[in-house]
Amino acid sequence: MSFSSLGLSQPILDSLKDLGYDTPTPIQAEAIPLAVKGKSLIAAAQTGSGKTATFVLPILEKLASGETLRKKRARALILTPTRELAIQVFKSIEAYGKNLNLKAMAVYGGVDYAPQKQQLIEGVDIVVATPGRLRDLYTQRAIHFDEVELLVLDEADKMLDMGFIEDINKIVDTLPEHKQTLLFSATLSRQVRELAKETAVNAVQLSVTQKSEGKPNIEQWLVTVDKDKKSALLSHLIKQSDWPQALIFIETKHGAAKLVAQLENREIQAECIHSGRTQAIRESILADFKSGKIKYLISTGISARGIDIDELPLVINYDLPFPADEYVHRIGRTGRAGAKGEALSLVSKDDFKNLCMIESRINQLIERRVIEGFEPRKLVPVSVLNFVPKNKPAKKSTVNKPVTEGRQSKNTPKRNSEKHTDKGSRKAKTETLKDDKLPLNPWGRS
Ligand code: AMP
């Protein structure tokens, strides 16, 4: 299939050709023709699936033939959870729409209102915005929504996780009733479906298998290690390996800054981005990472959300994320558009609950390795794959029990054996875990 069969006009096809896009990704092939025809859509699609073009291209197609700009009005609104993602989407609009006479802008918090207001006065076709700042601008009457024809909710699950539901509802309530809505979400959870019901009336629901979930291009492995040895292990692995670049995820901004210092003490140059750094610094660091000037970028999960780097070879989870979907998002940053990727997680016993949830989510036990000199004192039990997090403590039954060696559940697929790796080399020998004495419920649920 080619892009020319999707209902897109020549100026857009020309820009795709310039970008080297030959074939639509599965979600693009399925969604673009419907969206171009004006259908509202709800799509389960991850970062890395080509979802940005999936909503940007139909928007460009529809608006290209429309009327000229009016002051303080926009014809398409794209809501994203983070400013980094807003900027990323804005850049995609510029790239895909370079042969069209449409104006777009990115609107996000943490920067002055005045330039954004000025740009709105001059008129724009497409506004890409984080929900909080957009709502503020609307309240200040800097933007009116009466001419909005298209609404995109990008990474809807993430926006809900980040507590934007009230802002989104307020914005949606003021939009014209007859509009086309395109909702994209990594997962179609109950909350996302509820949001979809309110915002995307009569929408067609699509779900296309994602590369990042299909895993053929992403080699996932984990190293078990004690928490206090993680930074030493990371330094060791960096020095032993010839990784060209890595994006390293960590949970807290304090942790990110500390890890940069620890790596630098071991003569490894790294940078970090997190919400405590100014927008200008974050953007400049991202640009340096994209250009290859920075080899190791440490980021909190939220800050990394909008990072889009072609062929990022390696993602490292210094901490395991919660919820498990976040893991899928993170590893989706590598192995993009057919390239081979690698996802490494450093897992200590404290991460066990998150590991259970992640392995249940991906329905796979991730290959384990132990690095010589970093053998954990506190062993990480092996997960069962039907782990379901509950608000209430789970009963002392079979459901949440970690399986230890020799006590594998009947339902558990054959697991990878734990491997012992010599100084980071990838040739591993098998080691048996002696974790029979571990408590069945190591995170304290009873
Ligand atoms: P996204 O899922 O929108 O974040 O896109 C992931 C990456 O795939 C981006 O770097 C896009 O530029 C790239 N991409 C999107 N669609 C295509 C395509 N049809 N062919 C090649 N690359 C693509």
Side-chain angles (χ1 to χ4, degrees), residues 3 21 23-25 28 46-52 96 308 310 336-337:
F3 278 101
Y21 290 15
T23 317
T25 65
Q28 290 165 355
Q46 313 265 349
T47 300
S49 61
K51 69 180 170 59
T52 314
Y96 302 142
D308 172 27
D310 288 337
R336 285 187 174 196

Side-chain angles (χ1 to χ4, degrees), residues 3 16 19-25 27-28 45-55 85 88 92 96 154-155 210 307-311 332-333 336-337:
F3 278 101
L16 294 177
L19 289 165
Y21 290 15
D22 299 326
T23 317
T25 65
I27 189 77
Q28 290 165 355
Q46 313 265 349
T47 300
S49 61
K51 69 180 170 59
T52 314
T54 306
F55 58 80
L85 189 58
Q88 192 70 51
S92 300
Y96 302 142
D154 188 16
E155 303 199 354
Q210 307 302 320
I307 298 177
D308 172 27
I309 296 147
D310 288 337
E311 295 175 36
R333 302 191 170 280
R336 285 187 174 196

Side-chain angles (χ1 to χ4, degrees), residues 340-372:
K340 187 155 175 22
E342 194 174 341
L344 158 66
S345 301
L346 307 187
V347 180
S348 67
K349 197 171 157 205
D350 288 357
D351 296 311
F352 178 57
K353 182 177 154 191
N354 287 349
L355 179 66
C356 281
M357 287 192 266
I358 287 164
E359 292 185 320
S360 298
R361 166 72 177 79
I362 62 174
N363 196 31
Q364 176 196 352
L365 292 165
I366 301 166
E367 183 188 323
R368 293 178 173 215
R369 295 176 197 162
V370 174
I371 306 297
E372 195 175 296

Side-chain angles (χ1 to χ4, degrees), residues 32-47:
I32 293 173
L34 293 167
V36 167
K37 284 185 195 136
K39 294 258 184 259
S40 285
L41 302 177
I42 302 165
Q46 313 265 349
T47 300

Side-chain angles (χ1 to χ4, degrees), residues 245-281:
Q245 236 190 354
L247 176 59
I248 301 162
F249 288 95
I250 194 160
E251 279 313 288
T252 65
K253 54 185 174 189
H254 171 71
K258 190 169 153 198
L259 183 57
V260 170
Q262 287 168 325
L263 292 179
E264 280 178 355
N265 279 342
R266 297 181 183 108
E267 287 161 0
I268 296 164
Q269 293 301 317
E271 260 298 353
C272 67
I273 53 169
H274 51 68
S275 59
R277 307 200 81 168
T278 65
Q279 181 63 14
I281 290 179

